[in-house]
Amino acid sequence: MIKLLLLLLLLTTTTTTTTTTTTLAKQPYSLVQSQKPAPKPHHEKLTHLRVFLHHIVSGRCPNSVQVAQAASTNTSSSFFGQVNVIDNALTEGPAMASKLVGRAQGLYALASQEGVGLLMAMNFAFMDGKYNGSTITVLGRNMVSTPVREMPVIGGSGLFRLARGYVQAKTYSSDMKTTNAVVEYNCFVLHY
Ligand SMILES: *[C@@H]1O[C@H](CO)[C@@H](O)[C@H](O)[C@H]1NC(C)=O
Ligand SMILES: *[C@@H]1O[C@H](CO)[C@@H](O)[C@H](O)[C@H]1NC(C)=O
């Protein structure tokens, strides 16, 4: 009797497994979970963060390196075609010795033939306090001679998951000769 029951149980299990496999095999991909309705807008919060970005091209430890340039770059005062990769320190205050709160990692391309205009594509990777490990992604146009440059925040991770918003960049200090600069970034981020 027990043997029969066991056999029955085994048979049932096998049948179930087979059915599942067949169903999965029929689909081009598997649906893990159906979508929940999006969180209500009032659950969204606005976070304002202010950081100072240190752009260092020259000296002992540059954190911005040129990786490409146009063949005819010296005919253009806008450096059109140049590409730099950056790993700029983000600090709490304008001094380099001020507390490190994250890094701006990514790249920028000199994308304007008139005036120095950058296409910026970078992640602000936060490394301090509650935002440690979270990132926001900034992608936008940066005309460096404009007093305040606004660029979109197009996404984020961690606490900034599903983020959108904008940053405003304002040069705090710069060295014309080396192009080293400290830039104040005010980040306005909507996230859940
Ligand atoms: C770069 O500029 C110099 C001086 O203006 C000029 O003599 C030279 O031909 C230019 N080189 C290129 C590749 O355009
Ligand atoms: C940030 O997180 C990393 C990884 O979890 C940890 O090693 C580091 O100590 C944290 N830094 C601060 C300042 O909390």
Side-chain angles (χ1 to χ4, degrees):
M1 186 63 198
I2 291 180
K3 259 191 187 162
L4 193 75
L5 242 158
L6 253 169
L7 192 74
L8 251 166
L9 205 79
L10 215 82
L11 265 172
T12 320
T13 319
T14 319
T15 320
T16 317
T17 317
T18 317
T19 315
T20 317
T21 316
T22 320
T23 316
L24 276 179
K26 269 188 203 149
Q27 295 182 349
Y29 51 86
S30 61
L31 177 68
V32 178
Q33 198 188 351
S34 59
Q35 286 191 348
K36 289 184 192 141
K40 291 207 175 74
H42 65 258
H43 289 147
E44 221 170 9
K45 49 182 171 283
L46 176 68
T47 299
H48 175 196
L49 295 169
R50 186 174 70 149
V51 292
F52 290 85
L53 177 147
H54 299 262
H55 180 250
I56 304 165
V57 185
S58 65
R60 268 190 310 118
C61 335
N63 59 23
S64 172
V65 293
Q66 187 183 326
V67 295
Q69 70 173 64
S72 60
T73 199
N74 81 336
T75 62
S76 164
S77 60
S78 67
F79 305 101
F80 180 60
Q82 185 182 315
V83 177
N84 274 49
V85 172
I86 58 167
D87 183 8
N88 297 166
L90 297 173
T91 59
E92 202 171 46
M96 189 62 193
S98 154
K99 187 181 182 187
L100 181 80
V101 295
R103 306 201 69 89
Q105 299 175 331
L107 51 87
Y108 63 81
L110 279 292
S112 174
Q113 287 185 291
E114 270 177 40
V116 180
L118 318 179
L119 162 71
M120 315 272 311
M122 60 184 173
N123 292 311
F124 281 8
F126 296 101
M127 293 163 179
D128 184 65
K130 71 185 265 204
Y131 300 115
N132 187 6
S134 297
T135 66
I136 57 170
T137 302
V138 176
L139 180 74
R141 179 173 185 249
N142 183 356
M143 292 303 290
V144 296
S145 61
T146 309
V148 179
R149 288 88 69 188
E150 187 170 307
M151 288 167 269
V153 170
I154 60 163
S157 71
L159 286 180
F160 294 120
R161 197 176 281 171
L162 295 174
R164 60 206 166 92
Y166 61 97
V167 297
Q168 287 182 327
K170 199 161 69 177
T171 305
Y172 178 83
S173 64
S174 67
D175 182 338
M176 281 305 198
K177 233 196 286 176
T178 60
T179 71
N180 289 351
V182 177
V183 185
E184 177 182 343
Y185 270 82
N186 279 283
C187 316
F188 299 90
V189 186
L190 279 172
H191 60 106
Y192 294 102

